[in-house]
Amino acid sequence: MKKKAAGKFQLDCSVNGARVRREIAASRTMLEFLREDLGLKGTKEGCGEGECGACLILLDGRAVNSCLMMAAQAHGREIVTIEGIKGRDGGLHPIQKTFMEEGAVQCGFCIPGIIVAAEALLRRKPDATLEDIKLELTGNLCRCTGYEKILSAVELSRDELKKKGKR
Amino acid sequence: MRPELLVRPASLADLWKALPALPRDRRYLAGGTDLMIAAGHGHAGDCWVDISGLKELKSFRETSSSIFIGSGLTIAELAEKPAVKKWLPALALCAPHYASPSLRNMATIGGNAANGSPCADGVCALLSEKAEIVLGLKGAKRKMPLHSFFLAPKRTALKKDELILGFEVPKWRHVSAYEKLGPRSYFGISKVTVCVSAEISGGLVKEAVIACASVAPVPLLARKAAEFLYGRRLDEGTVSEAAALAESEASPITDTRSEAGYRKAMVRVLASRALSKLAA
């Protein structure tokens, strides 16, 4: 039983490749843990109810809504946030570059979640079709762009990643 | 409000041992996609028992006559299993319409039933596939048809501390159709869903199960419509008569998601669409 004093939880997990061991408030959500305890502010809180996808992170490689997850549930597991999505040289990831080149970002609030979703999809399905991309992004809301540029940026990222074997 | 206390047992044995010492008002936390939202709207227990790490609830077993699905499997994990595609076509068809990809990575099939909602997508699919639900409390296990598990909106047969261990679904040679109406094509809570599973042999219906969501206080089996289909060919007349029977069995209400009259009418439309797909 992983429990310490009432109200506390001894968390041991991996965040962006580094091992994190700390005592946290048991009532912490994963989103609060990342933003407030670890200072990783790239993960956003939009709706707080799993509708908008701004808070997506990778949990053992799968995209999940960090607002609906308790931090304690990550015990023994691997978390990757938008800060951990990088190119091989440690700079921007090809998906991030393509989003910039395509002008797929306006206010930017939803983009970390969308890039996490796109990364999860392209890792799993490097040949994803436009239809696959649309379906993968059903849980991500953007109120600025109208989605067209986001969809074409993900398609271009897919081509770029395949062409150059940039993983 | 999220509780101050969260415990994370390492095994089922560990869980049963820990319960007596915990506050009485306790809830199980699995995928969290319903419980976390409930906690955002009000009190949701003094203690959460996190069962999301329990390997025992993630089992998936296939025998010669049935498939056992552990309650802790997520919708995404289930959708990827070849045995689900082969033996549980309704569940496979339902998966893309179940919330969003990231929520499918979190939400468990056990949680979908435990939440007790008449609109649960996974429950509707499993109902049409003749699933039984397996419950456990300490050493004791019991099993019942999935439809008897639901007593009223948000009320199930679960006793205090009882846990859904999984679902047992018989292997039968059926085809399925899943028709859901939501506010948009994907990622919406259902206004009406009709899921039909049927075994068709020599062009005649040998057996059919019609499950409907969001049109009664509990997930509904349209039994009259299903019985009517027995031994018949799925021609236009049969489809339309069965669809009308299904409509007569629905007793929807008007709520934030849809209106009673519309829901009732749509049961007929969706049942007719589903049966026509099976006929094709």
Side-chain angles (χ1 to χ4, degrees):
Chain A
M1 180 83 61
K2 291 285 186 296
K3 182 183 81 159
K4 222 191 164 186
K8 297 289 175 195
F9 185 86
Q10 205 62 40
L11 177 64
D12 186 347
C13 64
S14 153
V15 179
N16 298 332
R19 188 164 179 192
V20 176
R21 272 184 284 189
R22 26 178 112 191
E23 187 178 86
I24 58 163
S27 58
R28 271 276 193 250
T29 65
M30 178 46 78
L31 178 69
E32 292 164 345
F33 172 65
L34 293 171
R35 289 182 56 88
E36 290 159 37
D37 296 345
L38 301 186
L40 295 170
K41 306 272 179 157
T43 306
K44 308 297 184 197
E45 176 163 25
C47 67
E49 299 208 327
E51 291 282 340
C52 77
C55 68
L56 290 195
I57 56 168
L58 298 178
L59 174 68
D60 294 336
R62 290 179 186 262
V64 297
N65 299 71
S66 63
C67 74
L68 294 184
M69 181 183 165
M70 297 299 279
Q73 292 181 286
H75 191 75
R77 305 181 75 177
E78 254 176 56
I79 299 288
V80 174
T81 67
I82 185 68
E83 289 88 348
I85 294 181
K86 292 178 187 159
R88 278 208 297 223
D89 58 358
L92 290 177
H93 186 280
I95 302 177
Q96 293 168 321
K97 283 188 193 158
T98 319
F99 267 66
M100 289 170 66
E101 284 156 14
E102 275 299 287
V105 180
Q106 287 189 32
C107 91
F109 193 82
C110 68
I111 299 297
I114 290 179
I115 288 178
V116 167
E119 167 70 357
L121 171 68
L122 296 177
R123 272 194 204 176
R124 194 175 74 238
K125 217 172 185 178
D127 292 310
T129 62
L130 178 59
E131 193 57 24
D132 293 331
I133 298 167
K134 284 183 181 172
L135 286 176
E136 191 71 19
L137 296 182
T138 47
N140 294 84
L141 297 179
C142 171
R143 298 292 83 182
C144 310
T145 63
Y147 301 103
E148 289 298 326
K149 289 188 172 178
I150 289 176
L151 294 174
S152 63
V154 180
E155 280 196 287
L156 279 171
S157 314
R158 170 202 61 205
D159 298 344
E160 197 66 12
L161 283 163
K162 266 168 57 182
K163 191 166 65 195
K164 296 181 182 160
K166 277 190 180 171
R167 287 207 182 269
Chain B
M1 279 285 288
R2 293 188 300 272
E4 293 290 316
L5 185 64
L6 185 147
V7 294
R8 195 172 158 81
S11 66
L12 271 181
D14 198 9
L15 167 89
W16 304 129
K17 237 184 283 165
L19 287 179
L22 298 175
R24 274 197 66 76
D25 186 7
R26 48 194 181 237
R27 312 277 165 95
Y28 288 123
L29 168 67
T33 55
D34 286 314
L35 186 61
M36 293 287 277
I37 290 173
H41 291 287
H43 179 75
D46 296 328
C47 168
W48 284 357
V49 181
D50 177 14
I51 54 172
S52 62
L54 293 181
K55 291 204 172 57
E56 290 120 308
L57 300 182
K58 291 251 178 204
S59 69
F60 185 91
R61 295 189 300 271
E62 196 178 337
T63 69
S64 58
S65 61
S66 70
I67 302 221
F68 180 83
I69 301 172
S71 60
L73 289 164
T74 65
I75 305 308
E77 285 166 341
L78 286 169
E80 287 161 9
K81 296 204 182 288
V84 167
K85 286 174 197 153
K86 183 167 177 201
W87 291 106
L88 308 174
L91 189 59
L93 285 170
C94 138
H97 295 279
Y98 189 116
S100 66
S102 54
L103 292 174
R104 291 198 287 276
N105 285 334
M106 308 173 77
T108 65
I109 190 70
N112 197 226
N115 193 41
S117 166
C119 64
D121 293 301
V123 164
C124 186
L126 283 182
L127 262 185
S128 86
E129 291 184 305
K130 306 200 287 183
E132 293 185 294
I133 188 164
V134 183
L135 311 177
L137 181 59
K138 293 165 189 152
K141 255 195 208 181
R142 60 185 181 128
K143 193 159 86 167
M144 64 177 76
L146 181 55
H147 64 83
S148 338
F149 176 73
F150 301 98
L151 307 178
K154 299 274 168 187
R155 275 194 53 221
T156 68
L158 281 171
K159 294 183 198 154
K160 177 150 184 68
D161 292 333
E162 199 172 27
L163 202 56
I164 300 175
L165 299 176
F167 303 84
E168 199 171 299
V169 196
K171 283 183 174 173
W172 55 301
R173 296 186 178 285
H174 60 290
V175 283
S176 300
Y178 188 85
E179 295 291 325
K180 170 173 170 176
L181 266 187
R184 47 183 165 164
S185 309
Y186 291 94
F187 194 17
I189 296 175
S190 99
K191 295 171 189 281
V192 186
T193 301
V194 177
C195 180
V196 185
S197 292
E199 183 173 346
I200 299 170
S201 170
L204 304 177
V205 176
K206 244 181 102 184
E207 182 173 14
V209 185
I210 304 176
C212 310
S214 311
V215 293
V218 293
L220 177 77
L221 282 179
R223 294 173 200 273
K224 284 186 217 159
E227 271 163 36
F228 169 78
L229 289 171
Y230 179 78
R232 293 180 193 261
R233 192 171 298 278
L234 286 176
D235 55 29
E236 218 175 293
T238 302
V239 166
S240 116
E241 202 158 330
L245 278 171
E247 179 182 344
S248 75
E249 294 177 79
S251 54
I253 55 163
T254 295
D255 62 14
T256 50
R257 280 193 283 279
S258 191
E259 190 261 319
Y262 175 76
R263 281 178 152 146
K264 207 162 164 61
M266 286 309 108
V267 171
R268 184 197 293 239
V269 171
L270 298 188
S272 158
R273 279 183 198 165
L275 290 169
S276 306
K277 275 188 188 167
L278 296 188

